[in-house]
Amino acid sequence: MKVWECIVCGFVYDEAKGMPEDGIAPGTRWEDIPEDWACPECGVAKSDFEMMAVAA
Amino acid sequence: MKRPEIKTMQNLESAFAGESMAHIKYRYFAKLARAAGDEDTARAFEETAEQEVEHAFGHLDLIYPKAEMTPAKCLEIAIAGETYEYTEMYPTFRRAAESEGNQAAIKEIDEQMAESREHAERFQAVLAKAAKRFAALAKVEERHANQYRTVLAKTRKAAA
């Protein structure tokens, strides 16, 4: 499962955890999150997240 | 007779800026201290940060007197601020960061950098990250401005 990080504030979206409080079930892939979703901490657009390299 | 410039209004703006920066800086330092395992220092920063907010509110009370402020006026000021950020400030900052990043890259090829390779790379990374963040922030400030415009339209309609 992949992890995505907000490039402005560092908020992390973990595909395995999802965001149930936002209606995003655990296991929801990044591609399946609506494009108008924004960072819950700082409001920047979904397109301003970067995939984090996960330590092997 | 020409009206003398009122230093105190400028000073209030500066004081407000200083208190605001102190508040957020202390909250950031609290985060750093907590991450380093120093809970006492983190709490010390958080306590004073809260007080800086009250100091800032005091200055704002004089800059934006309650008697002169309606919700519509607040929204107009907010829209102006957000619009300045996404139309001028962040685009300008982004171009500067990108330009400086390009110049630094060229310099690194042409001449020996005084600092070590590691410093040079770290500096380049800061410029690149700054440019990306400025671009992202321009977008969200535009969204803020548009949200405020929507609320202002509703507020005006309700008052009409």
Side-chain angles (χ1 to χ4, degrees):
Chain A
M1 296 252 95
K2 302 199 186 91
V3 169
W4 290 75
E5 187 186 24
C6 173
I7 65 164
V8 166
C9 78
F11 172 80
V12 167
Y13 174 78
D14 186 334
E15 286 184 342
K17 297 194 185 129
M19 274 193 74
E21 63 271 31
D22 244 23
I24 299 172
T28 304
R29 290 175 314 156
W30 187 246
E31 310 86 86
D32 295 329
I33 294 177
E35 284 315 300
D36 62 359
W37 182 83
C39 176
E41 290 296 309
C42 76
V44 299
K46 185 189 170 198
S47 56
D48 291 317
F49 274 67
E50 279 176 348
M51 193 168 74
M52 282 171 79
V54 184
Chain B
M1 188 180 114
K2 193 176 163 214
R3 199 166 169 218
E5 193 190 301
I6 300 173
K7 267 266 139 63
T8 299
M9 292 320 291
Q10 260 177 31
N11 293 343
L12 279 167
E13 298 273 4
S14 299
F16 164 58
E19 299 289 352
S20 303
M21 286 193 283
H23 161 244
I24 298 179
K25 187 160 54 182
Y26 293 162
R27 285 181 57 185
Y28 179 67
F29 286 172
K31 268 172 78 165
L32 294 178
R34 189 162 282 122
D38 187 344
E39 190 57 29
D40 283 346
T41 301
R43 285 221 199 92
F45 276 126
E46 279 162 353
E47 278 166 23
T48 47
E50 278 309 299
Q51 296 191 352
E52 307 297 3
V53 175
E54 298 303 326
H55 299 173
F57 280 171
H59 300 318
L60 287 172
D61 182 49
L62 297 178
I63 298 169
Y64 301 112
K66 238 177 302 208
E68 295 172 22
M69 299 299 287
T70 60
K73 183 127 192 247
C74 293
L75 288 164
E76 283 163 13
I77 294 168
I79 287 165
E82 300 283 341
T83 301
Y84 161 71
E85 286 189 349
Y86 81 81
T87 59
E88 292 181 39
M89 190 183 88
Y90 279 130
T92 304
F93 288 0
R94 177 196 179 176
R95 281 191 290 272
E98 284 170 350
S99 158
E100 285 168 359
N102 291 336
Q103 283 170 26
I106 291 163
K107 263 196 149 174
E108 205 179 312
I109 297 165
D110 284 354
E111 35 178 275
Q112 286 252 316
M113 289 204 76
E115 302 105 320
S116 72
R117 189 113 238 280
E118 201 189 303
H119 282 189
E121 280 169 6
R122 224 182 296 158
F123 175 61
Q124 277 275 52
V126 168
L127 291 175
K129 208 161 193 183
K132 275 193 189 158
R133 284 187 177 166
F134 292 149
L137 286 162
K139 277 163 35 188
V140 66
E141 308 301 9
E142 179 171 8
R143 193 155 58 77
H144 285 176
N146 289 334
Q147 277 170 350
Y148 284 147
R149 286 184 181 110
T150 303
V151 177
L152 180 58
K154 283 202 194 120
T155 305
R156 282 182 175 151
K157 219 175 162 188

